[in-house]
Amino acid sequence: MVSTLVADRIRWRRDTAERDRDALRTVFMEYLTALTQARDAFSRAEPRPERVGKGHVVLGEHGVYAAQQQMELVAQRPVVERAGRATLSVLDFHDVVVAGHEPDSVEYVRSWRAAREARSVLIEEMKAALRRT
């Protein structure tokens, strides 16, 4: 009887951990999808200097903030911090685009690379979090 209870407890823990990992993976994917959609929308934006500093509106429209808030509820601090940096890097990219910098300009390329790098660092942290779960 004891061995059955122990086996059931082990199976319950494994099932719980798997459900937690799946939920975390879903939250991560929702955030990354929203952030990527916003970044891609920014890359197609027309220059409008009056829009500099207003990328947060579009991030909200693409669900970035909602997805980020969900992640803040379930993810570990390192993931949340890197997600915040990724969000800020996309906002910086927005400002470069709407300020009128061309895609071949130093400013555009630098901000695009910074956004891509922040996303890559975030993804690595997300993978590590999923392995720990």
Side-chain angles (χ1 to χ4, degrees):
M1 182 158 90
V2 171
S3 64
T4 301
L5 289 173
V6 169
D8 286 347
R9 176 74 175 166
I10 291 170
R11 190 173 19 260
W12 175 79
R13 274 191 188 174
R14 186 180 56 240
D15 291 347
T16 300
E18 190 171 320
R19 277 193 307 275
D20 290 348
R21 192 173 23 262
D22 288 344
L24 196 56
R25 184 181 298 113
T26 299
V27 168
F28 288 171
M29 290 305 301
E30 288 172 359
Y31 171 77
L32 289 171
T33 299
L35 190 67
T36 300
Q37 288 173 344
R39 185 200 61 205
D40 291 349
F42 291 165
S43 69
R44 295 184 302 273
E46 294 294 320
R48 292 179 53 196
E50 71 275 6
R51 298 287 300 159
V52 170
K54 297 187 177 149
H56 60 281
V57 174
V58 180
L59 284 181
E61 292 170 355
H62 283 279
V64 174
Y65 293 128
Q68 190 170 349
Q69 288 169 356
Q70 284 181 331
M71 190 170 28
E72 289 170 357
L73 293 174
V74 296
Q76 296 172 346
R77 185 174 199 84
V79 173
V80 172
E81 289 172 355
R82 283 176 177 74
R85 289 184 198 130
T87 299
L88 291 175
S89 70
V90 170
L91 284 171
D92 290 343
F93 176 65
H94 169 269
D95 288 349
V96 166
V97 172
V98 297
H101 295 284
E102 295 296 321
D104 59 349
S105 71
V106 172
E107 294 86 357
Y108 186 103
V109 171
R110 184 180 302 134
S111 66
W112 174 261
R113 286 181 180 162
R116 189 178 62 201
E117 176 64 22
R119 184 179 181 277
S120 294
V121 169
L122 172 61
I123 289 172
E124 289 307 312
E125 190 63 44
M126 287 174 164
K127 287 178 182 179
L130 289 170
R131 286 190 296 271
R132 289 187 298 262
T133 305

